[in-house]
Amino acid sequence: MSVRTPRHAASHRRPSRWARGAGLAALSLVLFGTSTFAIAYNDIQTNIDRHDIDDLLGERPTQAGQEEPAPLDPASGEAINVVVLGSDTRAGEVNDEYGTTPEAGQRSDTTMIVHISAERDRVEIVSIPRDTLVTIPSCGMGDGTWTEPSYETMFNRAFAMGADGGGLGTAAACTIRTIEELSGVLIDDFVIVDFAGFINVIDALGGVPMCIPEAISDPKAKLELEAGEQVLDGRDALGFARARYSLGNGSDIDRIGRQQELVAAIAREALSKNLLTDLPKLYRFLDAATSTLTTGTELGSIPTMAGLAYSLRGIDLESIVFETMPHLPAGNRVVPAAEAEELWEALRDDEPIQGALNAAGEEPTEEPSDDETGDTEEPTTEEPPVTADPEPTETPVCP
């Protein structure tokens, strides 16, 4: 397997340069300036389980020639990379309703790198298949020890190993180190969402409208859906995200495609709500959505959340793009394809990617140039040949 050696910067702690984020503080005061919203601010902030993992990350890649990571400050004009991890833990209320995991501990069956462009006019979401064979570098554990590197091992083992060695902070740190080893992309922060947290986010939005092409019956995912247009509540949306063996070819790659369709639908619904113009609605959403959220210290700050949301308020659906890391089969696993390096380079350099899907639910297309169209012939007035009417076809359930 060919893995790019990441560029490294000197080992350091994440800089504390929030004085440069005065705009975020002002925005926070606007949003939460009254005594009612000051209380709401405190409630929401205390919901979030934040972890400082700087000491567990060791040497880091550089980004776009910078000497140190860009702060999570939307006023800074710097790109941001956040890794979103879906934990399959069964610990806790709601999570325990989904039975036990096949083995002890918890794993990350969903991993997405969310790249937010420096201009805040693009969001690119890249999924890494959990079955990718990678090198897991030495990872810091909760007791102060560091593990030995692992080679040709499944990607989601990094999260499981870190979780067993200390908890969610070490799980995130080991996963981030593995992503940076794989891609050379600097990860600025992380979000971990468990089953209960995912359900809370969907229900806080009031459900997610989706069209289901065919009926689904998946007892393992606790999912029963009819075909057609419908609004999925939190539990049905979770089941759709988890469903695997009853759909398609049963592969994790197929499931990633469905998860991206679901996240695209979530983005459509979230952007349609105009939450920033309705403060009570914003509070209710954040209070519910953050109740079981785990993040790093910076992204878990309410001013950062509010600032990022505000800076992205004008983004259009076509500019939110989804892609899966290019890969090749390796038995019942996959390995990164050569094209993966082109994707990682685009993220490192904050360049747009083509993607396989956008949040409008469409396959992104590139505008052809005049040369590519080959439209150089004179128009003709000749009548087209008459053909028989095509046979009527059955109307698809989902247009």
Side-chain angles (χ1 to χ4, degrees):
M1 176 177 61
S2 175
V3 178
R4 179 184 182 279
T5 302
R7 296 168 289 174
H8 288 100
S11 179
H12 60 274
R13 291 186 63 82
R14 198 178 298 270
S16 103
R17 295 181 286 178
W18 290 102
R20 291 170 51 186
L24 287 181
L27 174 62
S28 179
L29 289 175
V30 169
L31 291 177
F32 303 103
T34 67
S35 59
T36 299
F37 281 101
I39 295 171
Y41 178 103
N42 183 69
D43 287 347
I44 296 169
Q45 187 65 83
T46 55
N47 279 347
I48 302 170
D49 180 21
R50 295 196 290 171
H51 292 255
D52 185 348
I53 63 172
D54 288 342
D55 290 340
L56 301 174
L57 294 176
E59 294 185 348
R60 313 295 305 283
T62 58
Q63 176 172 297
Q66 290 189 337
E67 294 298 323
E68 53 190 8
L72 291 182
D73 178 357
S76 70
E78 302 291 349
I80 294 170
N81 296 303
V82 176
V83 61
V84 178
L85 300 161
S87 168
D88 69 354
T89 181
R90 303 306 201 269
E93 190 176 353
V94 177
N95 295 329
D96 59 9
E97 297 175 16
Y98 290 86
T100 58
T101 53
E103 54 194 49
Q106 56 180 302
R107 301 160 302 180
S108 59
D109 282 350
T110 301
T111 300
M112 295 180 173
I113 300 174
V114 179
H115 176 84
I116 304 172
S117 70
E119 297 298 323
R120 303 301 185 257
D121 58 355
R122 303 188 328 271
V123 174
E124 285 133 358
I125 302 172
V126 178
S127 297
I128 301 178
R130 67 168 198 172
D131 295 337
T132 305
L133 295 177
V134 298
T135 294
I136 298 177
S138 176
C139 290
M141 298 290 105
D143 61 2
T145 62
W146 287 73
T147 65
E148 292 295 324
S150 302
Y151 305 95
E152 297 292 312
T153 190
M154 278 179 57
F155 171 76
N156 73 342
R157 183 169 177 263
F159 186 94
M161 185 167 62
D164 290 345
L168 291 178
T170 49
C174 195
T175 302
I176 288 172
R177 283 180 58 77
T178 302
I179 292 172
E180 292 179 346
E181 176 78 16
L182 171 69
S183 66
V185 174
L186 176 72
I187 302 300
D188 294 283
D189 218 324
F190 70 93
V191 176
I192 300 175
V193 183
D194 61 12
F195 294 164
F198 187 83
I199 290 171
N200 287 339
V201 169
I202 302 302
D203 287 342
L205 280 174
V208 178
M210 284 196 73
C211 186
I212 306 300
E214 58 187 44
I216 303 174
S217 178
D218 193 319
K220 287 188 175 181
K222 294 185 178 294
L223 183 65
E224 298 288 338
L225 290 177
E226 296 180 356
E229 298 278 358
Q230 53 201 287
V231 177
L232 305 185
D233 64 14
R235 289 178 183 272
D236 282 343
L238 175 64
F240 185 81
R242 296 182 61 227
R244 177 177 177 180
Y245 298 107
S246 62
L247 297 172
N249 60 16
S251 70
D252 182 56
I253 302 301
D254 261 19
R255 179 168 60 177
I256 285 175
R258 291 189 294 275
Q259 289 172 345
Q260 291 176 347
E261 292 173 3
L262 176 60
V263 175
I266 294 170
R268 289 194 294 274
E269 187 66 9
L271 289 178
S272 73
K273 295 292 187 181
N274 296 320
L275 295 179
L276 287 173
T277 64
D278 187 334
L279 296 186
K281 186 186 295 183
L282 175 64
Y283 165 67
R284 288 193 298 271
F285 173 76
L286 288 177
D287 189 40
T290 61
S291 59
T292 58
L293 200 66
T294 300
T295 73
T297 53
E298 293 181 357
L299 188 60
S301 164
I302 295 302
T304 301
M305 285 188 179
L308 283 175
Y310 186 78
S311 67
L312 289 168
R313 68 194 183 282
I315 196 168
D316 57 71
L317 294 171
E318 291 76 12
S319 298
I320 303 174
V321 174
F322 299 82
E323 183 58 285
T324 301
M325 181 196 75
H327 54 274
L328 297 171
N332 60 352
R333 304 285 184 258
V334 300
V335 294
E339 294 80 6
E341 174 53 26
E342 298 176 14
L343 176 63
W344 303 139
E345 183 177 10
L347 295 189
R348 292 193 299 266
D349 295 339
D350 194 22
E351 295 292 336
I353 67 173
Q354 176 68 11
L357 177 75
N358 63 34
E362 304 165 345
E363 294 182 8
T365 57
E366 293 180 330
E367 291 294 330
S369 66
D370 291 340
D371 293 339
E372 289 174 332
T373 61
D375 188 14
T376 58
E377 297 183 3
E378 292 294 324
T380 178
T381 57
E382 186 175 324
E383 293 291 329
V386 178
T387 58
D389 291 336
E391 292 292 326
T393 57
E394 185 178 344
T395 303
V397 173
C398 295

